[in-house]
Amino acid sequence: MPPPPTLPNEILEEIFMRLPPDEPAFLVRATLASKHWFGLLTGPAFRSRYRDFHGAPSMLGFFRSWTPYSAWGEEGLEPLFVSTSNFVACIPGKEEDQYDEYGEWGYSIREKEEDWGYSGRDAWDCRHGRVVLGDRDVTDTKLAVLDPVTGRWRELCVPKDYDSHGAAVLCAVPGCHHRTCHEGPFRVIVVGMNINKGDSVAYVYVSLPMTDQWSQPPSQWSQPCPGLHLGFDAIFQPMPPVLTEEALYFTLMYDDDDGDDDKRVGILKYDLHSKCLSLIDVPLMETDIACNAILMGMEDGSLGFAHLDGLTLNLWSRKMGSDGTTTWTHLRVINLEELLPIQNLKQRLGLIGSVEGSDIIFMTMDFGICQISLKSLEWKKIWKEEYFGALLPYMSFNDP
């Protein structure tokens, strides 16, 4: 009996093209079915078409930024990365014998698992296929930039000791579509804050983007722009910065003028073109309690601001008007009591993150961590009930 006829490559590609990108195991299994399928699905032509077909990368999981003592769960230290798909992140330290004493880029590899995401190590930023890891509780801060797909990473020392730090990782390839930029060079931007008796000063350092190597810390870091005097004492909120409109926006916390324990919210902008810092206003001057507000990168490219008032979610967008001035516009009010099955109305909700360039936000509530689409008002639980400072979605393609 003759073997069944094989389908043309064009038909096979159209079939495999429709496998969901947030379930990378489907494509992996297909590559194991035959040598022909393996060659087809691992080729650059199919991978390029697959990414173009699905557009923006999917969320494969999330990293977490801890609040004090929140890294400890019922069974000990909680993991740094949580997968929401079949993706398994490659984090150095889980298998001590898979790395040499020195990584392929010349920096020593930490062999103990607790040095990666445990014992105070948490995520500062996650973008363009990489995540920045650091320790906010020590003065001699070192940052590590990890590619969870390949397990490759670099370590950088913060150029100078500051009282508080913020950091961002960006692809350094001009015109990149940001679907496979973990394969190319990137840069790290560090913002340091010196607290100085009611007038904190912020500084910026930018690493040198070079193919397959990092700038050497600390002597070869580029010089910072002139420090920005804030006029008040502030620290960085443990929330990743938002990238939109060719600028990075960091969330600050500072004490209320009334002298109570509440924390006000401030916004620090770093312009990627002028390479300078500035303060911008928030839409609600009475905004307090830092966990009640987050910045967002909106779908239209504008800067967004989400604020919780009890069980009411308010959405704002910062846009330029016809007169050339930039102002906040109140977009929407959402009643969460009507949307979510909240059981304990007295338990405070918390905003802990968003997906840049989309309408997705993440919240903590009495039944767990929830992902909400602000456009469709669809929601789903993605993790157990737990408290941490920020959720950093890991967006990437993980095809063969």
Side-chain angles (χ1 to χ4, degrees):
M1 183 175 180
T6 59
L7 295 175
N9 287 349
E10 294 78 7
I11 302 299
L12 289 173
E13 287 188 358
E14 290 300 323
I15 294 174
F16 291 128
M17 199 76 66
R18 281 142 179 88
L19 293 177
D22 56 350
E23 293 294 343
F26 293 167
L27 278 175
V28 174
R29 291 169 186 163
T31 62
L32 301 177
S34 71
K35 292 183 178 180
H36 178 68
W37 286 11
F38 178 86
L40 178 67
L41 298 181
T42 58
F46 174 79
R47 287 186 294 167
S48 178
R49 284 194 60 202
Y50 185 81
R51 294 159 183 161
D52 290 340
F53 180 82
H54 290 281
S58 298
M59 177 176 166
L60 302 180
F62 61 86
F63 288 85
R64 292 184 278 187
S65 177
W66 303 109
T67 56
Y69 310 111
S70 65
W72 290 90
E74 296 179 356
E75 301 179 357
L77 288 167
E78 296 286 354
L80 171 69
F81 178 79
V82 174
S83 177
T84 56
S85 65
N86 289 327
F87 171 72
V88 178
C90 297
I91 299 180
K94 289 192 174 182
E95 297 181 11
E96 294 184 6
D97 58 353
Q98 72 181 39
Y99 293 96
D100 297 328
E101 180 182 359
Y102 292 94
E104 67 173 321
W105 307 112
Y107 291 94
S108 61
I109 296 292
R110 300 177 185 269
E111 294 184 351
K112 294 183 179 180
E113 188 176 54
E114 57 264 25
D115 286 334
W116 278 91
Y118 305 100
S119 301
R121 174 84 62 173
D122 62 1
W124 289 26
D125 190 33
C126 186
R127 184 182 297 103
H128 299 165
R130 294 179 173 87
V131 58
V132 178
L133 305 177
D135 190 342
R136 301 182 190 274
D137 298 329
V138 297
T139 54
D140 185 20
T141 303
K142 292 184 179 180
L143 299 179
V145 180
L146 170 69
D147 178 356
V149 172
T150 64
R152 294 176 180 174
W153 67 287
R154 313 285 194 279
E155 186 175 85
L156 291 172
C157 292
V158 172
K160 186 177 178 181
D161 181 24
Y162 291 101
D163 298 311
S164 183
H165 297 86
V169 59
L170 302 174
C171 172
V173 179
C176 181
H177 50 46
H178 303 315
R179 294 169 187 164
T180 58
C181 35
H182 59 83
E183 299 176 353
F186 57 94
R187 64 170 61 91
V188 172
I189 297 173
V190 174
V191 182
M193 187 79 70
N194 277 338
I195 301 177
N196 187 22
K197 297 180 180 180
D199 185 19
S200 294
V201 185
Y203 299 90
V204 175
Y205 287 83
V206 181
S207 68
L208 303 176
M210 300 175 65
T211 302
D212 292 339
Q213 60 181 299
W214 285 91
S215 58
Q216 299 294 323
S219 60
Q220 294 184 22
W221 285 71
S222 60
Q223 295 299 313
C225 71
L228 174 68
H229 291 261
L230 304 185
F232 53 86
D233 285 339
I235 61 174
F236 289 94
Q237 186 180 7
M239 189 71 65
V242 168
L243 173 65
T244 186
E245 297 178 332
E246 295 300 316
L248 286 165
Y249 297 87
F250 296 82
T251 308
L252 303 178
M253 297 187 297
Y254 61 96
D255 291 330
D256 193 344
D257 293 336
D258 296 335
D260 55 28
D261 294 332
D262 290 346
K263 296 292 184 180
R264 299 287 184 181
V265 176
I267 303 175
L268 183 64
K269 175 182 178 181
Y270 175 67
D271 190 294
L272 296 174
H273 290 299
S274 66
K275 304 187 185 310
C276 285
L277 293 165
S278 61
L279 278 174
I280 66 173
D281 62 315
V282 295
L284 297 171
M285 296 308 296
E286 66 271 17
T287 299
D288 56 9
I289 310 299
C291 67
N292 279 0
I294 60 170
L295 299 177
M296 300 176 59
M298 307 294 281
E299 285 186 290
D300 61 1
S302 64
L303 177 66
F305 186 89
H307 175 251
L308 265 178
D309 183 8
L311 297 176
T312 302
L313 179 65
N314 291 274
L315 300 177
W316 303 74
S317 177
R318 186 174 173 87
K319 299 180 180 180
M320 182 175 293
S322 57
D323 57 354
T325 60
T326 305
T327 58
W328 289 102
T329 301
H330 197 182
L331 297 179
R332 196 172 183 185
V333 178
I334 299 174
N335 187 339
L336 297 177
E337 186 176 3
E338 298 177 354
L339 175 65
L340 303 169
I342 301 172
Q343 300 174 357
N344 185 1
L345 298 179
K346 294 182 180 180
Q347 182 171 327
R348 190 161 126 196
L349 308 182
L351 293 167
I352 57 173
S354 64
V355 177
E356 283 183 352
S358 77
D359 64 333
I360 301 295
I361 64 169
F362 304 97
M363 295 181 60
T364 60
M365 51 198 61
D366 58 356
F367 62 87
I369 307 300
C370 189
Q371 173 181 313
I372 304 175
S373 170
L374 301 177
K375 180 184 296 183
S376 64
L377 295 184
E378 296 178 348
W379 65 273
K380 64 179 178 179
K381 179 180 176 180
I382 62 172
W383 189 240
K384 60 186 179 181
E385 180 182 1
E386 192 174 2
Y387 296 94
F388 46 90
L391 183 154
L392 291 73
Y394 180 64
M395 316 294 295
S396 181
F397 282 106
N398 188 36
D399 47 15

